[in-house]
Amino acid sequence: MTRGTRSVGSRGMRTAAVALAIGALVVPSCARFDDSATSPFTPEPTFDSGAGFGPLDPPSSTTTTPPPPEKLGPCDDPDPAVVATCLDATGGLVVLPDGESALVAERRTGRILLVTPDEDPVEFATVPVDGSGDGGLLDLALSPTFGEDRLVYAYITTASDNRVVRVAAGDTPKDILTGIPRGVTGNAGAIQFTSPTELAVLTGNTGNPTAATDPSSWAGKLLTTTTLPGPGEAAAPAVLLSGIGTAGDVCRDGNGNLWVTDRTVLEDRLQRVGADGSTGTGPAWTWPEKPGVAGCAASPDGLAISLTDGRALSVLSIDPTTGAVTAAPTVTLQDRYGMLSGAASGPDGLLWLSTTNKAGGEPTDTDDRVIRVQFPSGGGGFD
């Protein structure tokens, strides 16, 4: 991996398939859940390295000289799970339909980079953003017809507001939803398509909890647009959830449920919005220790939540019928990659993660990075 990037329009995606395996230390996470659900958590899978075994000792009549170790460059990471290195602090992350590449946002620079194993990052587009504070290029979503139109949607901070824009490589971003309040802090947000014509938009509370409960404000809400407006048209989003604190992420499982992470003064939360729009009576899970919930990736029977302050990945088992959390979360990848931010699932069951160590962590020489690992629960395909 190298820091240099190449610009690209709509180039073909190519890579060699990489089999990845990471053994994870699993420890309980301090949390609360509905103890009426007692199904056990799926154990983490074990992985075979595939390495063969030779003789313990070479024949006494022969001598061998091991080859010199390969010299690593300044942005080369020996970890086989690392896909991209030497990025700026990341924002959103989304896997391309072929599962072999992903787009990752650099929050402060506004760059959208195409990352592929064993290849240098390629610049897909750059979006003008205000990256001060916690603002900038915050999240990405692929057009439902990305294979044909190569369009990407982004949640960004500008000098005057937070907004959703549509991005095509080599073109000026087009406004989709503008006027979302911005603040000195509390600008984090996320987007997720729920159908070919509906987009869920998670907004932060701009550092003002009162705004999150104000029905006249779009701050601190989970919004949905029934159709995507064209340039210059006014959008009238509906409100699915209110009272959002510091927004984390929104992801969708195979049953159409939306899962929302956010951070409040008292706790970090995971909330569920059913496919029918129902919100239940409270959070699906809470973290009183406030580990900094961020990116969310869903499968029909499990969720992976990246933890920024916790420097780990939290994995929850989900009942595919009821949508209930069935066991206490487990924590994996503890301190392996530092502060995790983005999370996205691929069609092959692999989990992509990004780090944000350059925005308050302890960056290594190769940070910030994109990582691809086996989904820790081993639980089936992804939406």
Side-chain angles (χ1 to χ4, degrees):
M1 310 302 171
T2 63
R3 181 180 294 275
T5 59
R6 306 187 301 275
S7 62
V8 68
S10 300
R11 76 175 183 89
M13 311 305 177
R14 66 184 187 278
T15 186
V18 178
L20 297 169
I22 286 194
L25 175 65
V26 179
V27 297
S29 173
C30 176
R32 302 195 301 271
F33 71 107
D34 183 357
D35 57 10
S36 63
T38 57
S39 301
F41 178 74
T42 304
E44 287 192 274
T46 58
F47 306 104
D48 183 359
S49 68
F53 294 90
L56 295 178
D57 297 296
S60 58
S61 61
T62 64
T63 59
T64 58
T65 302
E70 182 180 354
K71 185 175 182 180
L72 298 178
C75 288
D76 292 333
D77 195 306
D79 188 332
V82 173
V83 175
T85 61
C86 291
L87 308 178
D88 197 25
T90 64
L93 174 71
V94 62
V95 182
L96 298 191
D98 63 6
E100 297 182 344
S101 301
L103 294 176
V104 61
E106 286 188 334
R107 179 176 63 81
R108 297 179 296 199
T109 69
R111 294 199 305 169
I112 301 174
L113 299 174
L114 174 71
V115 296
T116 305
D118 301 318
E119 296 187 14
D120 293 340
V122 176
E123 186 174 308
F124 174 83
T126 297
V127 182
V129 298
D130 181 351
S132 61
D134 59 358
L137 178 55
L138 301 167
D139 199 23
L140 303 172
L142 298 182
S143 162
T145 53
F146 179 81
E148 292 76 40
D149 57 35
R150 290 296 191 268
L151 295 176
V152 176
Y153 291 76
Y155 188 87
I156 68 171
T157 306
T158 73
S160 59
D161 66 358
N162 290 296
R163 63 181 60 185
V164 178
V165 297
R166 186 176 65 231
V167 182
D171 197 4
T172 302
K174 304 297 190 299
D175 291 335
I176 297 298
L177 178 62
T178 63
I180 300 169
R182 63 153 293 170
V184 176
T185 61
N187 296 295
I191 53 177
Q192 171 69 54
F193 274 96
T194 58
S195 80
T197 58
E198 292 180 316
L199 184 69
V201 182
L202 181 67
T203 71
N205 66 5
T206 68
N208 179 10
T210 301
T213 58
D214 181 353
S216 66
S217 173
W218 288 349
K221 308 291 192 300
L222 178 64
L223 309 172
T224 181
T225 59
T226 55
T227 59
L228 293 178
E233 296 180 9
V239 176
L240 294 179
L241 280 177
S242 297
I244 299 296
T246 298
D249 198 8
V250 54
C251 59
R252 183 171 177 249
D253 66 27
N255 296 318
N257 300 305
L258 287 177
W259 297 90
V260 176
T261 62
D262 77 319
R263 313 175 194 178
T264 71
V265 174
L266 297 178
E267 60 195 9
D268 289 0
R269 303 182 296 187
L270 173 69
Q271 301 185 77
R272 182 175 73 95
V273 178
D276 59 356
S278 59
T279 58
T281 58
W285 193 265
T286 61
W287 287 263
E289 71 275 27
K290 298 189 290 185
V293 295
C296 168
S299 76
D301 60 353
L303 292 175
I305 309 295
S306 59
L307 306 179
T308 299
D309 298 333
R311 300 164 59 91
L313 186 73
S314 184
V315 184
L316 300 92
S317 184
I318 303 297
D319 187 305
T321 302
T322 66
V325 176
T326 59
T330 58
V331 174
T332 185
L333 302 182
Q334 183 71 61
D335 294 324
R336 189 182 296 267
Y337 299 107
M339 301 172 69
L340 298 180
S341 54
S345 54
D348 52 4
L350 296 180
L351 177 66
W352 296 63
L353 303 166
S354 62
T355 70
T356 186
N357 293 311
K358 287 182 177 177
E362 299 176 356
T364 67
D365 291 341
T366 58
D367 274 321
D368 270 306
R369 294 170 284 177
V370 173
I371 303 107
R372 187 173 68 164
V373 299
Q374 187 69 43
F375 193 82
S377 74
F382 293 85
D383 176 57

